Amino acid sequence: MKDFVVILGSSSISSPPTPTNLHHHHRHRSSTKKTNSSFRKLSPSRKQCHPVSPSIPTVHSHQHPYPLLSSTARWNHASLRDSPLKYYADLASKLAEDGRLEDFSMTVEMVVASGVNASRFASMLSVELVSKGIASSVQEGKVKSVVQVLRKVEKLGVAPLKLVNESGLDSLKRGFQRILGSGEVEEAVDLLEALRDFQFTIKELVNPSYIVKICVDKRNPNLAIRYSCLLPHAHMLFCSIICEFGKKRDLASALTAYEASKKNLSGPNMYLYRAIIDTCGLCGDYMKSRNIYKDLVNQRVTPNIYVFNSLMNVNAHDLGYTLDLYKDMQNLGITADMASYNILLKACCLAHRVDLAQDIYNEVKDLESTEVLKLDVFTYCTIIKIFADARLWQMALKIKEDMLSAGVTPNTVTWSSLINACAHAGLVVQAFQLFEEMILSGCEPNSQCCNVLLHACVEASQYDRAFRLFRSWTGSQEGNIDSMLSTKQVNSISSVSTTSNYITTLHNPSSVKKFSFNPTTATYNILMKACGTDYYHAKALMNEMKSFGLSPNHVSWTILIDICGGSGNVEGAIQILKTMHVTGIKPDVVAYTTAIKVCVESKRLKLAFSLFEEMKRYSVQPNLVTYNTLLRARSKYGSLHEVQQCLAVYQEMRKAGYKSNDIYLKELIEEWCEGVINENNQKQEGLSSCKRTDLERPHSLLLEKIALHLQMSTAESPAVDLRGLTK
């Protein structure tokens, strides 16, 4: 046996004939004593170094009779005797197994450079060992190294796909989980792109939604799109990416993903358009959805019914625009479905257009009679809510009968709207009857429905009933449930029992209906309103709210300010306003307006105006109620300075864009004029007459104020009623 010495990387090995002569070695195994043109034979006994192939550096042999790469290398010496090519295949496999992928690629390069067929050599490699080494390197985070090596062997003609078996793929999956778990998502995408180029099925390596979620959490839309483009169902992933950014209320990233997605699509994608429009709605930017629609029209893309429905839904607050979209849809020959009509009803509800809603409802009923459409529970719920908001409780109940006749079962929203309709009309007894009917039908009330019932009691000034109802639901106190029901209901009920967090209604021993009740912040806000001027009771309710894990909101604090002020404790009300700042809740315009009202009603006008200035310092914009509250103060004071302050408030209200009120202006001018006259009379008391110029002063200033108002007014008829001012 002849020994030859080669250099591999920085490690020396003793090897059989160099790869440049491997094909001759196999053909002329019997003539191995002949000198090869690229080698010189090395006699083991002489221990002498001979020149080798020009492409292989000259090195010295070792005393080991067989090749050795390192002290930790493990070789199959039998393979050297069987075949030098097999030996190199074993050598490369073991290098890969040990994680020495660069040495592995150099060995492959050396063998292929000698003229050995790459596919033949690849078939002799141990896929199990190579696959194990690749997976281990990925798990160790050597992603770039793995990619470089695989690209190198691919260029040499060895398909990377043939170097990884099923076990290796499982190990790769675990490696990806480690990489993604450490947040190295970009490295993972780099590797996936390389594996895709190597014909790997990357979809099975990692859950697509998992990578998308990480990209969204990192606010990296471009990386998410890069990954999606690797998969055959990329167009669906584009939609998922946009929707996920929408859930994060990150419209900018969603739009970036949308623009990148369009570049990677061969044609219009309605799923994509609908996803970005819905995201605009989630993020509250309806104008952007309109711009997207304009772009589609300019590109001569015809949206389908689902895109139109999303557009109408996002813009439902604008009835005019929604109806324009509906007309566009009709002009394009797109037939409206039930969702389209439901959205139109929703737009009518938001615009308080009962008449138009009735027309749409009747139109849909006609279509149902011809079996073109089938009304669903959402349709009935929406039209019932429209009538409920308009206090048309009888029409709402009529819709319920239509609903039952059509075989549609009312849901919790339906019952809540019906109860709300009666509550708004002040029909507390009817509201309780509907509540009882709801429970008997097997529909479990939610907190919102219960809150509507409590609110009905409070609005009807049935405060004790509201508290008994609440305590019976929470089980915190034994309540007399009979007092909540009408006489007719009491007679029809066999017994009523309450347990913790449940109310149980028994109409017969074999039928038990119960529902869980979890109070909300809104529940306690309603109860606080029932406290009247009992500040300590309201404060106790706020503390009880916290025991349920609830936090008081702006409404809670505002109610507390009103109750405290109503009890005559103005300083306490102002202190509550300050406490809101301390607790991290910035008082809103309602809170400030309530505090100002407390001051006005207590004749603390100076304090009221100081709060007015304070709210503006905190960038809280006064609303019409704020201005009116201050302007109404002028009827409670005769001070010229105070009236002048109110005149300034009136002018500020006009500048803010609120409609002028000539009645306020007239009365303010009257009081201003009277205040000037009174001041002059006090100064000149005891005099029988005065100079003419002094007498003319109030009238000239009065005319000046009126002229200023007329000059600043933008109304069509900026007239001021001067009758009664001649005095």
Side-chain angles (χ1 to χ4, degrees):
M1 179 65 65
K2 283 74 179 174
D3 284 352
F4 297 88
V5 181
V6 298
I7 289 288
L8 187 59
S10 60
S11 303
S12 62
I13 62 171
S14 299
S15 70
T18 54
T20 54
N21 281 302
L22 286 177
H23 58 292
H24 296 294
H25 187 84
H26 282 275
R27 288 181 186 175
H28 309 289
R29 190 180 297 268
S30 60
S31 59
T32 55
K33 293 183 180 181
K34 295 182 180 180
T35 302
N36 188 278
S37 59
S38 301
F39 300 91
R40 287 193 180 181
K41 295 178 289 182
L42 178 62
S43 172
S45 61
R46 296 176 61 184
K47 307 289 189 206
Q48 183 178 353
C49 180
H50 295 275
V52 294
S53 170
S55 62
I56 305 297
T58 303
V59 297
H60 297 281
S61 66
H62 296 267
Q63 61 183 357
H64 299 284
Y66 299 105
L68 182 66
L69 182 61
S70 70
S71 59
T72 59
R74 299 149 304 176
W75 313 115
N76 182 359
H77 301 295
S79 66
L80 180 61
R81 293 189 296 269
D82 296 340
S83 165
L85 186 60
K86 182 65 170 64
Y87 162 76
Y88 278 105
D90 289 346
L91 172 63
S93 301
K94 295 183 187 301
L95 287 171
E97 181 190 19
D98 289 341
R100 303 175 66 172
L101 295 181
E102 292 183 0
D103 290 343
F104 163 77
S105 65
M106 290 179 64
T107 303
V108 174
E109 181 181 16
M110 182 177 62
V111 171
V112 173
S114 70
V116 176
N117 182 272
S119 299
R120 178 187 175 194
F121 182 67
S123 65
M124 301 180 70
L125 293 171
S126 173
V127 178
E128 181 180 356
L129 299 182
V130 176
S131 181
K132 179 181 177 182
I134 292 173
S136 298
S137 297
V138 171
Q139 292 182 11
E140 293 171 5
K142 301 176 182 178
V143 175
K144 291 184 179 179
S145 176
V146 171
V147 172
Q148 290 174 355
V149 168
L150 292 179
R151 290 195 187 283
K152 185 175 182 179
V153 298
E154 184 186 39
K155 290 180 180 179
L156 296 173
V158 178
L161 184 62
K162 296 182 178 180
L163 301 179
V164 181
N165 59 9
E166 290 296 327
S167 176
L169 287 175
D170 292 337
S171 299
L172 277 177
K173 291 180 183 178
R174 292 191 292 272
F176 274 112
Q177 294 297 327
R178 190 207 65 79
I179 295 173
L180 294 173
S182 61
E184 301 171 358
V185 63
E186 190 163 358
E187 287 78 359
V189 173
D190 289 340
L191 181 55
L192 287 170
E193 285 179 333
L195 293 178
R196 197 278 305 268
D197 294 341
F198 301 146
Q199 307 303 315
F200 281 83
T201 306
I202 62 173
K203 181 181 178 181
E204 300 175 356
L205 294 177
V206 63
N207 186 355
S209 60
Y210 183 52
I211 290 189
V212 168
K213 181 180 182 302
I214 295 176
C215 292
V216 170
D217 291 340
K218 289 182 172 291
R219 298 294 196 272
N220 195 334
N222 291 319
L223 189 61
I225 296 297
R226 266 183 60 195
Y227 168 70
S228 301
C229 291
L230 303 176
L231 301 172
H233 62 294
H235 63 287
M236 297 302 296
L237 273 182
F238 293 157
C239 300
S240 298
I241 293 167
I242 292 172
C243 291
E244 289 300 319
F245 278 119
K247 293 176 183 177
K248 297 284 186 180
R249 302 299 189 270
D250 187 355
L251 182 58
S253 296
L255 290 171
T256 301
Y258 171 67
E259 294 298 331
S261 302
K262 290 195 297 183
K263 296 177 182 178
N264 291 279
L265 292 173
S266 57
N269 187 324
M270 297 300 161
Y271 295 104
L272 187 69
Y273 302 143
R274 187 180 183 187
I276 190 61
I277 290 170
D278 288 340
T279 298
C280 290
L282 280 175
C283 298
D285 193 344
Y286 64 91
M287 290 303 299
K288 193 63 184 178
S289 70
R290 298 182 184 186
N291 293 335
I292 292 171
Y293 175 60
K294 288 181 182 178
D295 291 341
L296 296 181
V297 172
N298 294 336
Q299 296 168 14
R300 300 183 182 278
V301 174
T302 302
N304 61 15
I305 182 63
Y306 305 107
V307 176
F308 267 114
N309 285 345
S310 291
L311 271 168
M312 290 194 296
N313 189 45
V314 170
N315 293 276
H317 64 283
D318 187 343
L319 179 59
Y321 185 80
T322 304
L323 292 175
D324 289 340
L325 287 173
Y326 178 67
K327 291 177 182 176
D328 290 348
M329 189 169 65
Q330 289 180 315
N331 293 335
L332 291 171
I334 299 174
T335 304
D337 60 6
M338 198 64 248
S340 307
Y341 286 107
N342 287 341
I343 295 169
L344 288 175
L345 287 173
K346 174 184 174 182
C348 292
C349 180
L350 295 174
H352 305 290
R353 286 290 303 275
V354 180
D355 55 338
L356 185 57
Q358 283 182 293
D359 293 340
I360 295 173
Y361 177 71
N362 292 332
E363 180 182 344
V364 176
K365 288 284 290 182
D366 292 339
L367 291 173
E368 185 181 43
S369 63
T370 58
E371 299 183 353
V372 175
L373 291 175
K374 175 68 176 176
L375 275 72
D376 55 24
V377 67
F378 186 87
T379 311
Y380 290 110
C381 288
T382 305
I383 192 67
I384 287 174
K385 186 179 187 308
I386 292 172
F387 289 140
D389 292 343
R391 300 176 183 266
L392 302 173
W393 62 277
Q394 291 176 321
M395 297 183 71
L397 292 177
K398 176 64 173 62
I399 299 298
K400 188 196 80 167
E401 298 303 322
D402 292 347
M403 189 177 188
L404 294 174
S405 299
V408 180
T409 303
N411 59 13
T412 303
V413 178
T414 311
W415 288 110
S416 296
S417 297
L418 289 168
I419 294 171
N420 194 37
C422 294
H424 277 180
L427 305 172
V428 181
V429 174
Q430 286 84 345
F432 273 95
Q433 288 175 344
L434 287 169
F435 186 76
E436 178 70 14
E437 187 179 342
M438 174 185 185
I439 296 175
L440 293 176
S441 69
C443 185
E444 182 171 324
N446 57 14
S447 297
Q448 182 182 1
C449 184
C450 296
N451 290 343
V452 170
L453 208 58
L454 289 174
H455 182 71
C457 294
V458 174
E459 288 297 307
S461 300
Q462 299 179 12
Y463 304 132
D464 290 341
R465 192 179 199 182
F467 281 110
R468 288 197 301 271
L469 182 62
F470 173 74
R471 297 304 175 192
S472 67
W473 286 345
T474 59
S476 56
Q477 177 181 323
E478 281 296 320
N480 184 8
I481 309 301
D482 291 349
S483 63
M484 299 184 299
L485 308 175
S486 64
T487 304
K488 181 179 179 180
Q489 287 174 298
V490 173
N491 294 334
S492 65
I493 299 176
S494 301
S495 62
V496 179
S497 62
T498 60
T499 58
S500 179
N501 292 331
Y502 286 97
I503 178 172
T504 305
T505 305
L506 305 176
H507 278 256
N508 56 71
S510 62
S511 176
V512 178
K513 303 290 183 182
K514 62 182 181 179
F515 69 91
S516 60
F517 173 68
N518 297 313
T520 63
T521 300
T523 308
Y524 280 98
N525 290 344
I526 294 169
L527 293 174
M528 288 174 66
K529 289 182 180 179
C531 293
T533 58
D534 191 345
Y535 167 75
Y536 295 102
H537 190 186
K539 183 64 176 176
L541 283 171
M542 185 177 281
N543 293 332
E544 182 181 329
M545 182 194 310
K546 298 175 183 177
S547 67
F548 276 92
L550 304 172
S551 299
N553 57 16
H554 287 84
V555 177
S556 311
W557 289 102
T558 301
I559 294 172
L560 196 63
I561 291 172
D562 191 37
I563 293 174
C564 187
S567 65
N569 187 0
V570 179
E571 285 72 17
I574 303 304
Q575 184 59 44
I576 294 171
L577 194 68
K578 295 178 180 178
T579 303
M580 290 182 68
H581 285 287
V582 175
T583 56
I585 298 178
K586 181 181 177 182
D588 57 6
V589 63
V590 180
Y592 270 111
T593 302
T594 303
I596 290 172
K597 178 178 73 74
V598 168
C599 296
V600 168
E601 290 176 348
S602 301
K603 299 184 179 181
R604 302 281 295 274
L605 190 60
K606 184 176 181 181
L607 184 56
F609 275 98
S610 68
L611 289 175
F612 181 66
E613 296 300 325
E614 177 185 311
M615 69 184 295
K616 291 189 288 185
R617 285 199 305 272
Y618 281 108
S619 300
V620 179
Q621 181 63 41
N623 60 18
L624 184 59
V625 179
T626 313
Y627 290 120
N628 286 340
T629 302
L630 285 170
L631 290 174
R632 279 196 296 268
R634 50 99 190 113
S635 64
K636 300 180 182 294
Y637 308 95
S639 167
L640 175 62
H641 175 68
E642 292 170 349
V643 175
Q644 287 175 330
Q645 280 183 312
C646 286
L647 276 170
V649 170
Y650 180 84
Q651 291 177 350
E652 183 179 324
M653 179 183 74
R654 297 280 287 112
K655 290 179 180 179
Y658 292 106
K659 187 178 180 180
S660 61
N661 190 326
D662 288 344
I663 296 177
Y664 277 143
L665 182 61
K666 170 188 170 182
E667 294 177 350
L668 283 170
I669 292 175
E670 284 180 345
E671 293 208 13
W672 174 84
C673 183
E674 291 174 358
V676 173
I677 293 173
N678 289 336
E679 283 192 356
N680 287 340
N681 288 338
Q682 291 172 3
K683 291 178 181 178
Q684 301 176 11
E685 186 177 3
L687 298 178
S688 59
S689 62
C690 60
K691 295 182 180 179
R692 180 176 179 80
T693 54
D694 292 332
L695 288 174
E696 290 176 348
R697 181 172 174 269
H699 301 288
S700 62
L701 291 176
L702 170 63
L703 294 175
E704 180 183 342
K705 287 292 181 181
I706 295 175
L708 177 63
H709 165 69
L710 294 174
Q711 183 181 6
M712 296 178 60
S713 176
T714 58
E716 294 181 0
S717 179
V720 180
D721 182 9
L722 297 180
R723 286 179 300 177
L725 294 181
T726 54
K727 65 180 180 180

